[in-house]
């Protein structure tokens, strides 16, 4: 596996919000909501449990994990 490049700055709330919106719009997550305290509430399926993510970096990491899973699944299907 190829290691991911390191970032030069921490993810912002705006970046995390954009990723959350894409994940929900593409139906890769059921919901992702920013709480008033900066945490993110994430639900993978409509009847699934709600997971609490600490901040923007966790949303960006979740997006990267989902992308990796999708790409590796497609590569195996070829």
């Amino acid at each position: 596996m190829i290691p991911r490049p390191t970032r030069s700055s921490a993810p912002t709330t705006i970046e995390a919000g954009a990723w959350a919106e894409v994940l929900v719009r593409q139906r890769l997550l059921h919901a992702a909501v920013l709480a008033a305290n900066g945490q993110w509430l994430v639900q993978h399926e409509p009847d699934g449990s709600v997971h609490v993510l600490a901040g923007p970096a966790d949303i960006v990491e979740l997006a990267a994990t989902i992308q990796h899973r999708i790409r590796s699944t497609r590569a195996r299907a070829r």
Side-chain angles (χ1 to χ4, degrees):
M1 180 171 24
I2 300 170
R4 291 187 208 139
T6 57
R7 293 179 57 109
S8 60
S9 62
T12 65
T13 301
I14 293 171
E15 180 183 2
W19 277 112
E21 183 179 336
V22 167
L23 293 172
V24 171
R25 190 174 343 119
Q26 295 297 316
R27 296 187 175 137
L28 299 168
L29 285 178
H30 174 68
V33 178
L34 175 61
N37 64 358
Q39 293 178 325
W40 287 83
L41 307 176
V42 175
Q43 191 175 28
H44 292 274
E45 301 192 13
D47 295 328
S49 58
V50 174
H51 301 275
V52 179
L53 303 181
D58 292 331
I59 286 286
V60 173
E61 180 63 28
L62 176 62
T65 300
I66 290 171
Q67 284 180 326
H68 177 73
R69 185 181 69 221
I70 289 169
R71 288 178 181 156
S72 63
T73 302
R74 285 183 185 161
R76 277 187 246 134
R78 289 182 196 174

